[in-house]
Amino acid sequence: WLILYAVGQLSLGLARSLISSKTLLLIAFLFSGIFTSLCSIANTATSLAIFWGINGFFQASINPLLVLHIAELLPASARATGVGIWQTSQQVGGVCANLFAASTLRIEGWRAIFSRSGLLVALAGLPVFWLLANKQKKEEASHYKGSPP
């Protein structure tokens, strides 16, 4: 997992130069969710490691891209606070994810943890993509509003 996570981080710069960060975020959320869900059908340690490693590759780009968008949304005077709040919310999310996993394990078993978590991650990418698309449309509209005809 860590090797593919590192490869994902290293390749983010190249990917960002080829694809918009908004699209990269959607891809990262969707494929991270898909490969997390695939862990639920793994029948060997090797297949589980492969699925989890590919998940790590896609996961590696989510936080840097979201921090980039937060930084772009906020004025320079508020960026540190905004990014700090975002990072704190990730820690709260980690606690919630562990509670979700523990309760799912108790009720449904280990495979359900992967299938349910993967579905939630994949679905989380859709509102993020939609919100960023709307932000971009508003920016383009305000840019054109002040432009000469």
Side-chain angles (χ1 to χ4, degrees):
W1 183 84
L2 286 177
I3 292 170
L4 287 174
Y5 190 91
V7 170
Q9 287 180 323
L10 288 172
S11 63
L12 180 58
L14 175 63
R16 176 92 163 63
S17 69
L18 299 172
I19 304 170
S20 74
S21 57
K22 177 184 68 164
T23 302
L24 276 175
L25 266 172
L26 179 64
I27 291 168
F29 271 109
L30 289 176
F31 282 98
S32 180
I34 288 167
F35 283 98
T36 297
S37 290
L38 286 173
C39 289
S40 70
I41 63 168
N43 291 324
T44 65
T46 302
S47 61
L48 180 60
I50 290 169
F51 293 148
W52 195 243
I54 296 170
N55 162 53
F57 175 82
F58 289 105
Q59 259 185 27
S61 62
I62 293 173
N63 187 51
L65 290 170
L66 285 173
V67 169
L68 176 73
H69 282 288
I70 290 169
E72 289 174 354
L73 283 171
L74 299 173
S77 61
R79 284 184 189 146
T81 302
V83 171
I85 291 169
W86 169 253
Q87 297 300 350
T88 302
S89 74
Q90 283 199 311
Q91 301 309 315
V92 172
V95 170
C96 293
N98 283 321
L99 291 171
F100 173 78
S103 63
T104 302
L105 176 64
R106 185 171 158 260
I107 297 167
E108 298 180 70
W110 72 270
R111 292 183 187 273
I113 295 169
F114 289 107
S115 61
R116 306 261 187 287
S117 298
L119 180 64
L120 287 173
V121 169
L123 291 176
L126 299 174
V128 169
F129 184 80
W130 181 79
L131 288 169
L132 292 176
N134 283 342
K135 177 187 85 92
Q136 185 177 2
K137 286 178 189 173
K138 286 179 186 175
E139 287 173 357
E140 289 172 359
S142 68
H143 173 71
Y144 292 120
K145 194 181 228 182
S147 299

